[in-house]
Amino acid sequence: MVEAVQGAGVVVTGAGGGIGAAIARRFAAEGARVVVNDLDGARAEAVAAEIGGTAVPGDASAIVADARDALGGTVDVYCANAGVAFDDGGQGLSADEKSWATSWDVNVMAHVRAAEQLLPAWLERGSGRFVSTVSAAGLLSMIGAPSYSVTKHGAYAFAEWLSLTYRHRGIKVHAICPQGVRTDMLAATGTAGDLVLKPTAVEPSDVADALFKGIEEDRFLILPHPEVAGYYQLRAADPDRWLGNMNHLQQKWEEAR
């Protein structure tokens, strides 16, 4: 058991399935009191019933107050897990502005709004934990998914900013950056996901395991796929080589299609 989360009040957004459900299950198994959030109320209720938690359905941007009430007035851990992805079908910048706006709202601004509501109480008491499900796309990029890649970079940058700004005041921040995970979102990535993500895809429970190892080790960056560290280093050390490799993947994808 991880002592830091026993009895804690935990909120997990986008927890009706996939990574969010796995994280909610793991927190409950570790003795936390869990609020399960999802836009799909029936899915949130199902996971909450399974783990003995409380369902608070709705938009992840607007549930902090209700989640706090459901936990008796205090949120100790907030997992900003809800996310959206729009596959542009390989057409480059074909996604419409509504899709871009939704990506920004869910993948970035929902995190910002939650932090704005949580931080005053956390800073007053000197503790709080913010978990951001980012994606390796937030460190690297993903072919065929411009709005997802760009906004996940934003999610990572916001998590990084939270950590560097508030860690000396007791705020713990974790950024989870997996590659392929066997979820509905992976299935929706189509041929790009088949080429890049599926060969090394892991289970949602593996992501939850990596998160808890990161909590125990007090690490900011959590990589369920350890090889991502090498890709990230290459991207920083030799951007042209990295871009060349990614463009080669793009060409393979175009040929396969």
Side-chain angles (χ1 to χ4, degrees):
M1 302 290 282
V2 179
E3 186 176 349
V5 304
Q6 290 178 33
V10 178
V11 180
V12 187
T13 68
I19 294 172
I23 289 173
R25 291 185 183 106
R26 182 60 185 270
F27 270 107
E30 294 283 341
R33 298 170 294 114
V34 182
V35 162
V36 179
N37 161 259
D38 201 273
L39 268 178
D40 187 325
R43 295 183 74 183
E45 291 281 0
V47 174
E50 174 194 338
I51 67 174
T54 304
V56 177
D59 186 333
S61 290
I63 55 93
V64 170
D66 288 342
R68 184 185 286 121
D69 290 344
L71 291 168
T74 303
V75 174
D76 301 297
V77 182
Y78 189 90
C79 300
N81 172 78
V84 294
F86 296 97
D87 181 359
D88 78 347
Q91 301 303 310
L93 293 175
S94 65
D96 59 25
E97 289 201 12
K98 183 178 179 181
S99 297
W100 276 93
T102 299
S103 296
W104 277 112
D105 195 62
V106 177
N107 294 348
V108 181
M109 292 310 300
H111 299 202
V112 175
R113 295 184 191 111
E116 287 174 339
Q117 295 174 70
L118 293 163
L119 276 167
W122 285 0
L123 293 172
E124 183 177 351
R125 76 186 194 198
S127 65
R129 192 180 300 271
F130 194 96
V131 179
S132 178
T133 301
V134 179
S135 166
L139 295 176
L140 307 170
S141 196
M142 177 59 191
I143 60 173
S147 62
Y148 185 75
S149 297
V150 171
T151 55
K152 286 298 185 176
H153 273 72
Y156 182 79
F158 182 66
E160 194 173 57
W161 181 86
L162 278 180
S163 182
L164 67 88
T165 303
Y166 296 113
R167 62 170 45 204
H168 67 293
R169 299 180 66 180
I171 308 304
K172 306 286 188 181
V173 184
H174 308 281
I176 313 171
C177 296
Q179 289 194 112
V181 183
R182 297 186 184 99
T183 65
D184 292 343
M185 187 177 285
L186 176 60
T189 59
T191 55
D194 292 342
L195 177 65
V196 179
L197 303 175
K198 283 187 180 179
T200 60
V202 299
E203 296 297 331
S205 59
D206 296 322
V207 179
D209 289 344
L211 169 60
F212 270 76
K213 185 176 181 182
I215 289 173
E216 288 183 289
E217 297 175 354
D218 195 22
R219 283 187 287 107
F220 168 76
L221 181 57
I222 296 172
L223 300 176
H225 295 79
E227 62 268 26
V228 169
Y231 304 151
Y232 191 40
Q233 289 173 340
L234 174 60
R235 178 177 179 267
D238 194 342
D240 287 301
R241 180 183 173 194
W242 177 79
L243 285 168
N245 290 341
M246 290 297 290
N247 181 251
H248 179 65
L249 275 178
Q250 174 72 22
Q251 293 178 63
K252 283 183 66 176
W253 181 43
E254 291 177 7
E255 290 167 4
R257 288 186 294 115

